[in-house]
Amino acid sequence: MLPGRARHALLWAHRWLGLIGGIVVVLIGLTGSFIVFYREIDVALNPALYTPAGPEQKVALSKVMRAAAAADPAPIATILAPDRTWPVWIVIHTHETAPGRYPSRWTTMVDPSNGTVLGRRDYVNAFALKIYRLHYTLLLYEWWGKELVGVAGFVLLGLAISGLVLWWPRPGLFWRSVSVRKNVSLLRLVLDVHGATGFWALFVLLGISITGVGLVFPDLVRPIVSVLSQPTPDPSRGVEMPPPAGTPLLSADAIAQIAQAAKPGLAIAMFNPPTATRNVWRVQFRPDGADPAVRARGAIWLDPWSGAVVHDGTPGAMSMGDRYLAEQLWLHNGATLGLAGRLLVFAAGFAPLALFVSGLIMWLKRRPR
């Protein structure tokens, strides 16, 4: 038990941290629950974009790129391979964007069975993706929105740890402190709800806050991770001495074949063609049979002229520190543990709302005293 003065100070800090930062934490929690299943929701809202003519996947990558380029001539940034949730090719185009504004991206959906364009749309302003941006940047990209979300992660971490210390029960009172009793006063009921919700959601909220901070502030987390396992310094991942101008590039189909042959036990998840700033192909993978919510787990970078592997960033070639940094997103949304993990994160997203409302009621009931 904390001494009286220390406990009073911690309670004061916990209360005001929750009251001031609680609304943002609640918003991030609720939108986080939504985006755990945002791809499934997007399919339900836009079935025509995700319904191929047949189950076959016989269209080659080069044909997908040609069909997408005919529909939208803007540069192609990413090509998502079909999976169980989005069973079509999705080509993401980068459109010109004013400096400092959120990148403008459009998607073209291509039927994998016949190469037909199923439709195209403004990717960042589609409903499900807009909720994703609300969670990630509070729709304040130009005004440090991403960093504000990272600060909210620190707020949630502080609330969770301080709440655990304040909640810690006396010997013999554990089960009473993690349950909600009947036939008690309103204030007692609210106290029970606050304590029980905080305890049962604690470990998931801690994981969400820690990985959320890591995603927003990677340079802050990397030195901490290096204490246990040194991450690999980020290489340029480009061909430093490209061949003479005019040397023919390998076709997209050849790159796909080379990538699959290099990692036969993995399924290709997405392609990133060379750009003006990166002169290599990046091919991302995920394990065969993995939950499609794990969009990618590792990548290789390929020389577009020779097909040689410039850099191997798949799990088997990474240190434990690299693997943790690469896995943060899937830990954050629960996908690392499959559907069960995603359901846990979905439920935990409502905990900040219950904690904020119950905490506010307690503050209002006790304030006159």
Side-chain angles (χ1 to χ4, degrees):
M1 295 291 292
L2 287 174
R5 185 172 295 181
R7 180 178 177 81
H8 179 76
L10 185 62
L11 179 60
W12 182 91
H14 181 83
R15 178 185 298 136
W16 286 102
L17 190 62
L19 288 171
I20 294 170
I23 292 293
V24 175
V25 172
V26 167
L27 176 61
I28 293 172
L30 294 177
T31 53
S33 290
F34 177 93
I35 66 172
V36 166
F37 296 101
Y38 85 96
R39 294 209 302 148
E40 290 85 349
I41 293 170
D42 193 40
V43 170
L45 295 175
N46 304 279
L49 294 176
Y50 296 105
T51 306
E56 305 87 0
Q57 295 189 13
K58 57 186 180 182
V59 178
L61 178 61
S62 57
K63 184 175 180 180
V64 170
M65 295 178 69
R66 285 195 298 271
D72 186 343
I76 294 173
T78 305
I79 306 155
L80 307 180
D83 60 31
R84 294 199 305 271
T85 306
W86 283 349
V88 299
W89 287 96
I90 300 176
V91 181
I92 302 177
H93 307 261
T94 302
H95 287 247
E96 188 173 347
T97 311
R101 301 297 299 273
Y102 196 89
S104 175
R105 295 190 177 100
W106 283 64
T107 52
T108 303
M109 282 69 168
V110 179
D111 190 323
S113 66
N114 56 25
T116 301
V117 172
L118 297 171
R120 57 185 296 269
R121 64 173 178 178
D122 182 351
Y123 180 69
V124 298
N125 289 311
F127 174 73
L129 282 304
K130 199 155 191 173
I131 300 299
Y132 196 106
R133 285 200 296 128
L134 177 61
H135 177 78
Y136 188 50
T137 69
L138 301 176
L139 300 183
L140 298 173
Y141 181 81
E142 299 85 358
W143 294 280
W144 301 89
K146 178 181 173 182
E147 288 73 16
L148 286 173
V149 170
V151 170
F154 279 114
V155 170
L156 177 58
L157 184 60
L159 288 169
I161 294 173
S162 60
L164 176 64
V165 174
L166 292 167
W167 162 87
W168 199 265
R170 294 185 179 90
L173 298 179
F174 173 77
W175 287 113
R176 199 180 86 176
S177 66
V178 297
S179 57
V180 179
R181 286 166 286 180
K182 301 178 181 178
N183 302 319
V184 294
S185 67
L186 174 62
L187 182 58
R188 184 71 258 175
L189 175 66
V190 171
L191 281 166
D192 285 353
V193 169
H194 195 80
T197 301
F199 173 78
W200 292 113
L202 175 67
F203 294 105
V204 181
L205 292 178
L206 283 174
I208 290 171
S209 61
I210 291 169
T211 52
V213 168
L215 290 168
V216 176
F217 302 116
D219 292 338
L220 181 65
V221 173
R222 183 177 286 269
I224 300 172
V225 172
S226 66
V227 173
L228 299 175
S229 175
Q230 184 64 44
T232 304
D234 193 19
S236 62
R237 294 174 184 168
V239 179
E240 296 182 2
M241 298 291 292
T247 302
L249 296 166
L250 293 174
S251 68
D253 296 338
I255 291 293
Q257 292 171 2
I258 291 170
Q260 192 62 79
K263 300 293 176 182
L266 301 174
I268 293 177
M270 61 186 82
F271 299 89
N272 300 104
T275 67
T277 58
R278 188 194 69 245
N279 63 359
V280 293
W281 279 85
R282 182 173 70 157
V283 184
Q284 300 185 62
F285 300 89
R286 65 169 168 268
D288 278 326
D291 189 322
V294 179
R295 303 301 310 283
R297 186 174 275 152
I300 58 174
W301 284 256
L302 297 175
D303 183 321
W305 295 279
S306 69
V309 176
V310 175
H311 178 76
D312 188 342
T314 52
M318 293 192 291
S319 69
M320 289 301 296
D322 291 327
R323 294 179 68 175
Y324 170 75
L325 293 173
E327 194 72 14
Q328 283 183 108
L329 179 58
W330 317 127
L331 291 167
H332 188 70
N333 68 10
T336 295
L337 301 177
L339 179 60
R342 290 205 286 160
L343 289 172
L344 273 176
V345 171
F346 175 83
F350 292 90
L353 176 62
L355 292 167
F356 179 76
V357 171
S358 58
L360 182 62
I361 292 173
M362 288 189 292
W363 177 68
L364 292 173
K365 293 286 284 185
R366 290 178 168 182
R367 192 180 176 199
R369 289 189 263 173

Short mmCIF file of all heavy atoms in Angstrom, two decimals, residues 226-291:
data_model
loop_
_atom_site.label_atom_id
_atom_site.label_comp_id
_atom_site.label_asym_id
_atom_site.label_seq_id
_atom_site.Cartn_x
_atom_site.Cartn_y
_atom_site.Cartn_z
N SER A 226 16.97 -2.58 -28.43
CA SER A 226 18.36 -2.99 -28.63
C SER A 226 19.03 -3.46 -27.35
O SER A 226 20.07 -4.12 -27.41
CB SER A 226 19.16 -1.83 -29.23
OG SER A 226 19.27 -0.74 -28.32
N VAL A 227 18.46 -3.13 -26.19
CA VAL A 227 19.02 -3.62 -24.93
C VAL A 227 18.95 -5.15 -24.88
O VAL A 227 19.84 -5.81 -24.34
CB VAL A 227 18.27 -3.00 -23.73
CG1 VAL A 227 18.73 -3.62 -22.42
CG2 VAL A 227 18.48 -1.49 -23.70
N LEU A 228 17.87 -5.71 -25.44
CA LEU A 228 17.68 -7.15 -25.43
C LEU A 228 18.15 -7.82 -26.71
O LEU A 228 18.68 -8.94 -26.69
CB LEU A 228 16.20 -7.48 -25.20
CG LEU A 228 15.61 -6.97 -23.88
CD1 LEU A 228 14.11 -7.26 -23.84
CD2 LEU A 228 16.30 -7.62 -22.69
N SER A 229 17.94 -7.15 -27.85
CA SER A 229 18.33 -7.72 -29.13
C SER A 229 18.59 -6.59 -30.10
O SER A 229 17.69 -5.78 -30.36
CB SER A 229 17.22 -8.64 -29.67
OG SER A 229 17.53 -9.11 -30.95
N GLN A 230 19.78 -6.54 -30.63
CA GLN A 230 20.19 -5.41 -31.48
C GLN A 230 19.48 -5.47 -32.83
O GLN A 230 19.68 -6.41 -33.60
CB GLN A 230 21.70 -5.43 -31.69
CG GLN A 230 22.22 -4.24 -32.47
CD GLN A 230 22.00 -2.93 -31.74
OE1 GLN A 230 22.24 -2.82 -30.55
NE2 GLN A 230 21.52 -1.92 -32.46
N PRO A 231 18.63 -4.48 -33.16
CA PRO A 231 18.03 -4.45 -34.50
C PRO A 231 19.09 -4.18 -35.56
O PRO A 231 20.10 -3.54 -35.30
CB PRO A 231 17.02 -3.30 -34.41
CG PRO A 231 16.83 -3.03 -32.95
CD PRO A 231 18.12 -3.41 -32.31
N THR A 232 18.83 -4.66 -36.75
CA THR A 232 19.75 -4.43 -37.86
C THR A 232 19.65 -2.98 -38.31
O THR A 232 18.55 -2.47 -38.50
CB THR A 232 19.38 -5.36 -39.04
OG1 THR A 232 19.39 -6.71 -38.58
CG2 THR A 232 20.37 -5.19 -40.18
N PRO A 233 20.77 -2.29 -38.47
CA PRO A 233 20.71 -0.92 -39.00
C PRO A 233 20.00 -0.90 -40.33
O PRO A 233 20.18 -1.79 -41.17
CB PRO A 233 22.19 -0.53 -39.15
CG PRO A 233 22.91 -1.42 -38.20
CD PRO A 233 22.15 -2.71 -38.19
N ASP A 234 19.17 0.09 -40.55
CA ASP A 234 18.35 0.16 -41.75
C ASP A 234 19.23 0.45 -42.96
O ASP A 234 19.81 1.52 -43.07
CB ASP A 234 17.30 1.27 -41.59
CG ASP A 234 16.23 1.18 -42.66
OD1 ASP A 234 16.09 0.11 -43.26
OD2 ASP A 234 15.54 2.20 -42.89
N PRO A 235 19.37 -0.51 -43.89
CA PRO A 235 20.21 -0.28 -45.06
C PRO A 235 19.48 0.56 -46.10
O PRO A 235 18.27 0.82 -46.00
CB PRO A 235 20.47 -1.70 -45.58
CG PRO A 235 19.22 -2.44 -45.19
CD PRO A 235 18.76 -1.84 -43.89
N SER A 236 20.20 0.95 -47.14
CA SER A 236 19.56 1.75 -48.20
C SER A 236 18.56 0.90 -48.98
O SER A 236 17.59 1.42 -49.53
CB SER A 236 20.62 2.29 -49.15
OG SER A 236 21.31 1.22 -49.79
N ARG A 237 18.78 -0.41 -49.03
CA ARG A 237 17.89 -1.33 -49.74
C ARG A 237 17.68 -0.91 -51.19
O ARG A 237 16.59 -0.93 -51.72
CB ARG A 237 16.55 -1.44 -49.01
CG ARG A 237 16.70 -2.10 -47.64
CD ARG A 237 15.42 -2.09 -46.86
NE ARG A 237 15.65 -2.65 -45.52
CZ ARG A 237 14.79 -2.57 -44.53
NH1 ARG A 237 13.64 -1.97 -44.70
NH2 ARG A 237 15.07 -3.11 -43.36
N GLY A 238 18.78 -0.52 -51.81
CA GLY A 238 18.76 -0.17 -53.22
C GLY A 238 20.00 -0.70 -53.89
O GLY A 238 20.95 -1.13 -53.23
N VAL A 239 20.00 -0.71 -55.21
CA VAL A 239 21.18 -1.12 -55.96
C VAL A 239 22.09 0.09 -56.06
O VAL A 239 21.76 1.07 -56.74
CB VAL A 239 20.78 -1.63 -57.36
CG1 VAL A 239 22.02 -2.02 -58.15
CG2 VAL A 239 19.82 -2.81 -57.24
N GLU A 240 23.22 0.05 -55.36
CA GLU A 240 24.10 1.22 -55.30
C GLU A 240 24.80 1.50 -56.62
O GLU A 240 25.08 2.65 -56.95
CB GLU A 240 25.13 1.04 -54.18
CG GLU A 240 24.50 0.97 -52.79
CD GLU A 240 25.53 0.85 -51.70
OE1 GLU A 240 26.75 0.86 -52.03
OE2 GLU A 240 25.14 0.74 -50.52
N MET A 241 25.09 0.45 -57.39
CA MET A 241 25.77 0.63 -58.68
C MET A 241 24.90 0.02 -59.77
O MET A 241 25.09 -1.12 -60.20
CB MET A 241 27.14 -0.06 -58.65
CG MET A 241 28.09 0.53 -57.62
SD MET A 241 28.64 2.20 -58.04
CE MET A 241 29.64 1.86 -59.49
N PRO A 242 23.87 0.75 -60.21
CA PRO A 242 22.99 0.20 -61.25
C PRO A 242 23.74 0.01 -62.56
O PRO A 242 24.78 0.65 -62.80
CB PRO A 242 21.90 1.27 -61.38
CG PRO A 242 22.53 2.53 -60.87
CD PRO A 242 23.49 2.11 -59.82
N PRO A 243 23.25 -0.88 -63.43
CA PRO A 243 23.91 -1.12 -64.71
C PRO A 243 23.77 0.08 -65.64
O PRO A 243 23.03 1.02 -65.34
CB PRO A 243 23.17 -2.35 -65.25
CG PRO A 243 21.83 -2.30 -64.59
CD PRO A 243 22.08 -1.72 -63.23
N PRO A 244 24.44 0.07 -66.77
CA PRO A 244 24.36 1.21 -67.70
C PRO A 244 22.93 1.49 -68.15
O PRO A 244 22.08 0.59 -68.19
CB PRO A 244 25.24 0.76 -68.88
CG PRO A 244 26.14 -0.28 -68.31
CD PRO A 244 25.36 -0.97 -67.24
N ALA A 245 22.67 2.74 -68.48
CA ALA A 245 21.35 3.13 -68.96
C ALA A 245 20.99 2.30 -70.19
O ALA A 245 21.83 2.02 -71.05
CB ALA A 245 21.34 4.62 -69.30
N GLY A 246 19.74 1.92 -70.26
CA GLY A 246 19.27 1.11 -71.38
C GLY A 246 19.28 -0.38 -71.09
O GLY A 246 18.74 -1.17 -71.89
N THR A 247 19.89 -0.80 -69.98
CA THR A 247 19.87 -2.23 -69.61
C THR A 247 18.43 -2.64 -69.36
O THR A 247 17.71 -1.99 -68.60
CB THR A 247 20.71 -2.48 -68.35
OG1 THR A 247 22.04 -2.04 -68.56
CG2 THR A 247 20.70 -3.95 -67.98
N PRO A 248 17.95 -3.69 -70.01
CA PRO A 248 16.53 -4.06 -69.87
C PRO A 248 16.18 -4.50 -68.45
O PRO A 248 16.98 -5.16 -67.77
CB PRO A 248 16.35 -5.20 -70.87
CG PRO A 248 17.73 -5.76 -71.07
CD PRO A 248 18.67 -4.60 -70.93
N LEU A 249 14.99 -4.12 -68.01
CA LEU A 249 14.47 -4.52 -66.70
C LEU A 249 13.76 -5.86 -66.82
O LEU A 249 13.18 -6.18 -67.86
CB LEU A 249 13.49 -3.48 -66.18
CG LEU A 249 14.05 -2.08 -65.88
CD1 LEU A 249 12.91 -1.08 -65.71
CD2 LEU A 249 14.91 -2.12 -64.62
N LEU A 250 13.79 -6.63 -65.76
CA LEU A 250 13.01 -7.87 -65.73
C LEU A 250 11.53 -7.52 -65.70
O LEU A 250 11.12 -6.49 -65.14
CB LEU A 250 13.37 -8.69 -64.50
CG LEU A 250 14.80 -9.28 -64.47
CD1 LEU A 250 15.04 -9.94 -63.11
CD2 LEU A 250 14.99 -10.29 -65.58
N SER A 251 10.71 -8.38 -66.25
CA SER A 251 9.27 -8.16 -66.23
C SER A 251 8.72 -8.37 -64.82
O SER A 251 9.35 -9.02 -63.98
CB SER A 251 8.57 -9.11 -67.19
OG SER A 251 8.67 -10.45 -66.71
N ALA A 252 7.55 -7.83 -64.57
CA ALA A 252 6.90 -8.02 -63.26
C ALA A 252 6.65 -9.50 -63.00
O ALA A 252 6.80 -9.98 -61.85
CB ALA A 252 5.59 -7.24 -63.22
N ASP A 253 6.30 -10.26 -64.05
CA ASP A 253 6.06 -11.69 -63.86
C ASP A 253 7.35 -12.42 -63.46
O ASP A 253 7.33 -13.33 -62.62
CB ASP A 253 5.51 -12.30 -65.15
CG ASP A 253 4.14 -11.75 -65.51
OD1 ASP A 253 3.46 -11.23 -64.61
OD2 ASP A 253 3.77 -11.81 -66.70
N ALA A 254 8.47 -12.02 -64.06
CA ALA A 254 9.75 -12.64 -63.71
C ALA A 254 10.11 -12.32 -62.26
O ALA A 254 10.60 -13.20 -61.53
CB ALA A 254 10.84 -12.15 -64.66
N ILE A 255 9.86 -11.09 -61.82
CA ILE A 255 10.13 -10.72 -60.43
C ILE A 255 9.28 -11.56 -59.49
O ILE A 255 9.77 -12.06 -58.46
CB ILE A 255 9.85 -9.21 -60.23
CG1 ILE A 255 10.88 -8.35 -60.95
CG2 ILE A 255 9.79 -8.87 -58.74
CD1 ILE A 255 12.29 -8.44 -60.40
N ALA A 256 8.01 -11.76 -59.84
CA ALA A 256 7.12 -12.56 -58.99
C ALA A 256 7.63 -14.00 -58.90
O ALA A 256 7.62 -14.60 -57.81
CB ALA A 256 5.70 -12.52 -59.55
N GLN A 257 8.08 -14.56 -60.02
CA GLN A 257 8.58 -15.94 -60.02
C GLN A 257 9.86 -16.07 -59.20
O GLN A 257 10.03 -17.02 -58.42
CB GLN A 257 8.81 -16.41 -61.46
CG GLN A 257 7.53 -16.58 -62.26
CD GLN A 257 7.80 -16.83 -63.74
OE1 GLN A 257 8.95 -16.92 -64.17
NE2 GLN A 257 6.74 -16.92 -64.53
N ILE A 258 10.76 -15.10 -59.34
CA ILE A 258 12.02 -15.13 -58.60
C ILE A 258 11.74 -15.01 -57.10
O ILE A 258 12.34 -15.73 -56.28
CB ILE A 258 12.95 -14.00 -59.08
CG1 ILE A 258 13.42 -14.28 -60.51
CG2 ILE A 258 14.13 -13.83 -58.14
CD1 ILE A 258 14.13 -13.11 -61.16
N ALA A 259 10.83 -14.11 -56.73
CA ALA A 259 10.51 -13.91 -55.32
C ALA A 259 9.92 -15.17 -54.71
O ALA A 259 10.30 -15.58 -53.60
CB ALA A 259 9.54 -12.74 -55.17
N GLN A 260 9.00 -15.81 -55.42
CA GLN A 260 8.38 -17.01 -54.88
C GLN A 260 9.39 -18.15 -54.78
O GLN A 260 9.37 -18.92 -53.81
CB GLN A 260 7.20 -17.43 -55.76
CG GLN A 260 6.32 -18.49 -55.12
CD GLN A 260 5.67 -18.03 -53.83
OE1 GLN A 260 4.68 -17.32 -53.85
NE2 GLN A 260 6.22 -18.41 -52.68
N ALA A 261 10.30 -18.23 -55.76
CA ALA A 261 11.32 -19.28 -55.70
C ALA A 261 12.30 -19.03 -54.55
O ALA A 261 12.82 -19.97 -53.95
CB ALA A 261 12.07 -19.32 -57.02
N ALA A 262 12.52 -17.76 -54.21
CA ALA A 262 13.44 -17.43 -53.12
C ALA A 262 12.86 -17.79 -51.77
O ALA A 262 13.61 -18.11 -50.84
CB ALA A 262 13.80 -15.95 -53.17
N LYS A 263 11.54 -17.73 -51.63
CA LYS A 263 10.87 -18.02 -50.36
C LYS A 263 9.70 -18.96 -50.61
O LYS A 263 8.52 -18.59 -50.55
CB LYS A 263 10.36 -16.71 -49.71
CG LYS A 263 11.46 -15.71 -49.41
CD LYS A 263 12.41 -16.21 -48.33
CE LYS A 263 13.58 -15.26 -48.10
NZ LYS A 263 14.52 -15.78 -47.08
N PRO A 264 9.99 -20.23 -50.92
CA PRO A 264 8.92 -21.16 -51.31
C PRO A 264 7.92 -21.46 -50.21
O PRO A 264 6.80 -21.88 -50.48
CB PRO A 264 9.69 -22.41 -51.74
CG PRO A 264 11.00 -22.31 -51.01
CD PRO A 264 11.31 -20.86 -50.94
N GLY A 265 8.29 -21.27 -48.95
CA GLY A 265 7.36 -21.59 -47.86
C GLY A 265 6.46 -20.44 -47.47
O GLY A 265 5.67 -20.56 -46.53
N LEU A 266 6.56 -19.33 -48.19
CA LEU A 266 5.77 -18.14 -47.86
C LEU A 266 4.87 -17.77 -49.04
O LEU A 266 5.18 -18.07 -50.19
CB LEU A 266 6.69 -16.96 -47.52
CG LEU A 266 7.67 -17.15 -46.36
CD1 LEU A 266 8.60 -15.97 -46.24
CD2 LEU A 266 6.90 -17.36 -45.05
N ALA A 267 3.77 -17.09 -48.73
CA ALA A 267 2.85 -16.61 -49.77
C ALA A 267 3.13 -15.13 -50.01
O ALA A 267 3.32 -14.36 -49.06
CB ALA A 267 1.41 -16.80 -49.33
N ILE A 268 3.16 -14.73 -51.27
CA ILE A 268 3.37 -13.33 -51.59
C ILE A 268 2.13 -12.53 -51.20
O ILE A 268 1.01 -12.87 -51.57
CB ILE A 268 3.69 -13.14 -53.07
CG1 ILE A 268 5.04 -13.77 -53.40
CG2 ILE A 268 3.69 -11.66 -53.44
CD1 ILE A 268 5.42 -13.71 -54.88
N ALA A 269 2.33 -11.47 -50.43
CA ALA A 269 1.23 -10.63 -49.97
C ALA A 269 1.10 -9.36 -50.78
O ALA A 269 -0.01 -8.90 -51.06
CB ALA A 269 1.40 -10.29 -48.48
N MET A 270 2.23 -8.74 -51.12
CA MET A 270 2.16 -7.50 -51.89
C MET A 270 3.49 -7.21 -52.57
O MET A 270 4.54 -7.71 -52.17
CB MET A 270 1.71 -6.33 -51.02
CG MET A 270 2.60 -5.98 -49.87
SD MET A 270 1.87 -4.67 -48.81
CE MET A 270 0.75 -5.66 -47.80
N PHE A 271 3.39 -6.36 -53.61
CA PHE A 271 4.55 -5.92 -54.37
C PHE A 271 4.64 -4.40 -54.29
O PHE A 271 3.62 -3.71 -54.33
CB PHE A 271 4.42 -6.30 -55.85
CG PHE A 271 4.33 -7.77 -56.12
CD1 PHE A 271 3.10 -8.42 -56.15
CD2 PHE A 271 5.47 -8.52 -56.41
CE1 PHE A 271 3.00 -9.77 -56.42
CE2 PHE A 271 5.38 -9.88 -56.69
CZ PHE A 271 4.15 -10.51 -56.70
N ASN A 272 5.87 -3.90 -54.22
CA ASN A 272 6.13 -2.47 -54.35
C ASN A 272 7.14 -2.29 -55.48
O ASN A 272 8.32 -2.61 -55.31
CB ASN A 272 6.70 -1.88 -53.06
CG ASN A 272 5.76 -2.04 -51.88
OD1 ASN A 272 5.97 -2.89 -51.02
ND2 ASN A 272 4.72 -1.24 -51.84
N PRO A 273 6.69 -1.80 -56.64
CA PRO A 273 7.61 -1.62 -57.77
C PRO A 273 8.65 -0.55 -57.47
O PRO A 273 8.50 0.26 -56.54
CB PRO A 273 6.68 -1.18 -58.91
CG PRO A 273 5.30 -1.56 -58.48
CD PRO A 273 5.30 -1.47 -56.99
N PRO A 274 9.72 -0.50 -58.25
CA PRO A 274 10.72 0.55 -58.07
C PRO A 274 10.10 1.94 -58.22
O PRO A 274 9.11 2.13 -58.93
CB PRO A 274 11.73 0.28 -59.19
CG PRO A 274 11.56 -1.17 -59.51
CD PRO A 274 10.11 -1.46 -59.30
N THR A 275 10.69 2.90 -57.52
CA THR A 275 10.23 4.29 -57.58
C THR A 275 11.42 5.20 -57.88
O THR A 275 12.55 4.74 -58.04
CB THR A 275 9.60 4.72 -56.25
OG1 THR A 275 10.63 4.74 -55.24
CG2 THR A 275 8.50 3.76 -55.82
N ALA A 276 11.14 6.50 -57.92
CA ALA A 276 12.22 7.45 -58.19
C ALA A 276 13.25 7.48 -57.07
O ALA A 276 14.41 7.84 -57.29
CB ALA A 276 11.61 8.85 -58.38
N THR A 277 12.85 7.09 -55.87
CA THR A 277 13.77 7.12 -54.72
C THR A 277 14.25 5.74 -54.29
O THR A 277 15.10 5.65 -53.41
CB THR A 277 13.09 7.82 -53.53
OG1 THR A 277 11.88 7.12 -53.20
CG2 THR A 277 12.76 9.27 -53.86
N ARG A 278 13.67 4.67 -54.85
CA ARG A 278 14.08 3.30 -54.49
C ARG A 278 14.09 2.47 -55.76
O ARG A 278 13.04 2.21 -56.35
CB ARG A 278 13.08 2.71 -53.48
CG ARG A 278 13.52 1.38 -52.89
CD ARG A 278 12.38 0.65 -52.17
NE ARG A 278 11.37 0.19 -53.10
CZ ARG A 278 10.12 0.62 -53.13
NH1 ARG A 278 9.71 1.52 -52.28
NH2 ARG A 278 9.25 0.14 -54.01
N ASN A 279 15.30 2.09 -56.20
CA ASN A 279 15.41 1.46 -57.52
C ASN A 279 15.30 -0.06 -57.48
O ASN A 279 15.84 -0.74 -58.35
CB ASN A 279 16.72 1.88 -58.20
CG ASN A 279 17.95 1.40 -57.43
OD1 ASN A 279 17.83 0.77 -56.38
ND2 ASN A 279 19.13 1.70 -57.96
N VAL A 280 14.63 -0.61 -56.47
CA VAL A 280 14.46 -2.06 -56.35
C VAL A 280 12.99 -2.40 -56.16
O VAL A 280 12.18 -1.55 -55.79
CB VAL A 280 15.27 -2.62 -55.16
CG1 VAL A 280 16.75 -2.50 -55.40
CG2 VAL A 280 14.88 -1.92 -53.87
N TRP A 281 12.67 -3.66 -56.45
CA TRP A 281 11.35 -4.20 -56.10
C TRP A 281 11.37 -4.63 -54.64
O TRP A 281 12.36 -5.22 -54.18
CB TRP A 281 11.04 -5.43 -56.95
CG TRP A 281 10.53 -5.17 -58.33
CD1 TRP A 281 11.27 -4.93 -59.44
CD2 TRP A 281 9.15 -5.14 -58.74
NE1 TRP A 281 10.46 -4.75 -60.54
CE2 TRP A 281 9.14 -4.88 -60.13
CE3 TRP A 281 7.94 -5.32 -58.08
CZ2 TRP A 281 7.97 -4.79 -60.86
CZ3 TRP A 281 6.76 -5.24 -58.81
CH2 TRP A 281 6.77 -4.97 -60.18
N ARG A 282 10.30 -4.34 -53.93
CA ARG A 282 10.12 -4.93 -52.60
C ARG A 282 8.94 -5.89 -52.68
O ARG A 282 7.85 -5.51 -53.13
CB ARG A 282 9.82 -3.86 -51.54
CG ARG A 282 9.67 -4.46 -50.15
CD ARG A 282 9.55 -3.41 -49.07
NE ARG A 282 8.28 -2.70 -49.14
CZ ARG A 282 7.72 -2.06 -48.10
NH1 ARG A 282 8.33 -2.04 -46.93
NH2 ARG A 282 6.58 -1.43 -48.24
N VAL A 283 9.17 -7.12 -52.26
CA VAL A 283 8.12 -8.15 -52.28
C VAL A 283 7.89 -8.59 -50.84
O VAL A 283 8.80 -9.06 -50.17
CB VAL A 283 8.52 -9.35 -53.16
CG1 VAL A 283 7.36 -10.35 -53.23
CG2 VAL A 283 8.91 -8.88 -54.56
N GLN A 284 6.66 -8.42 -50.38
CA GLN A 284 6.32 -8.76 -48.99
C GLN A 284 5.58 -10.09 -48.95
O GLN A 284 4.81 -10.43 -49.86
CB GLN A 284 5.47 -7.65 -48.38
CG GLN A 284 6.19 -6.30 -48.36
CD GLN A 284 5.38 -5.23 -47.66
OE1 GLN A 284 5.10 -5.34 -46.46
NE2 GLN A 284 5.02 -4.18 -48.38
N PHE A 285 5.80 -10.83 -47.86
CA PHE A 285 5.27 -12.18 -47.71
C PHE A 285 4.46 -12.31 -46.42
O PHE A 285 4.57 -11.49 -45.51
CB PHE A 285 6.41 -13.19 -47.66
CG PHE A 285 7.29 -13.23 -48.86
CD1 PHE A 285 8.41 -12.40 -48.94
CD2 PHE A 285 7.02 -14.08 -49.91
CE1 PHE A 285 9.24 -12.43 -50.04
CE2 PHE A 285 7.86 -14.12 -51.02
CZ PHE A 285 8.96 -13.29 -51.08
N ARG A 286 3.70 -13.39 -46.36
CA ARG A 286 3.12 -13.83 -45.10
C ARG A 286 3.12 -15.36 -45.12
O ARG A 286 3.13 -15.97 -46.19
CB ARG A 286 1.68 -13.29 -44.90
CG ARG A 286 0.68 -13.81 -45.89
CD ARG A 286 -0.75 -13.45 -45.47
NE ARG A 286 -1.66 -13.70 -46.58
CZ ARG A 286 -2.01 -12.80 -47.48
NH1 ARG A 286 -1.54 -11.58 -47.38
NH2 ARG A 286 -2.82 -13.09 -48.46
N PRO A 287 3.11 -15.99 -43.94
CA PRO A 287 3.13 -17.47 -43.92
C PRO A 287 1.89 -18.05 -44.60
O PRO A 287 0.80 -17.49 -44.50
CB PRO A 287 3.15 -17.79 -42.42
CG PRO A 287 3.67 -16.56 -41.76
CD PRO A 287 3.17 -15.41 -42.60
N ASP A 288 2.07 -19.16 -45.28
CA ASP A 288 0.92 -19.86 -45.88
C ASP A 288 -0.09 -20.21 -44.80
O ASP A 288 0.27 -20.74 -43.75
CB ASP A 288 1.39 -21.14 -46.58
CG ASP A 288 1.94 -20.86 -47.97
OD1 ASP A 288 1.43 -19.94 -48.63
OD2 ASP A 288 2.89 -21.55 -48.38
N GLY A 289 -1.36 -19.89 -45.04
CA GLY A 289 -2.41 -20.23 -44.10
C GLY A 289 -2.56 -19.25 -42.95
O GLY A 289 -3.41 -19.46 -42.07
N ALA A 290 -1.76 -18.18 -42.91
CA ALA A 290 -1.85 -17.22 -41.81
C ALA A 290 -3.16 -16.43 -41.92
O ALA A 290 -3.75 -16.30 -42.99
CB ALA A 290 -0.67 -16.25 -41.84
N ASP A 291 -3.61 -15.92 -40.77
CA ASP A 291 -4.78 -15.05 -40.76
C ASP A 291 -4.53 -13.89 -41.72
O ASP A 291 -3.50 -13.22 -41.64
CB ASP A 291 -4.99 -14.51 -39.34
CG ASP A 291 -6.31 -13.76 -39.17
OD1 ASP A 291 -6.70 -13.04 -40.11
OD2 ASP A 291 -6.93 -13.88 -38.11
#
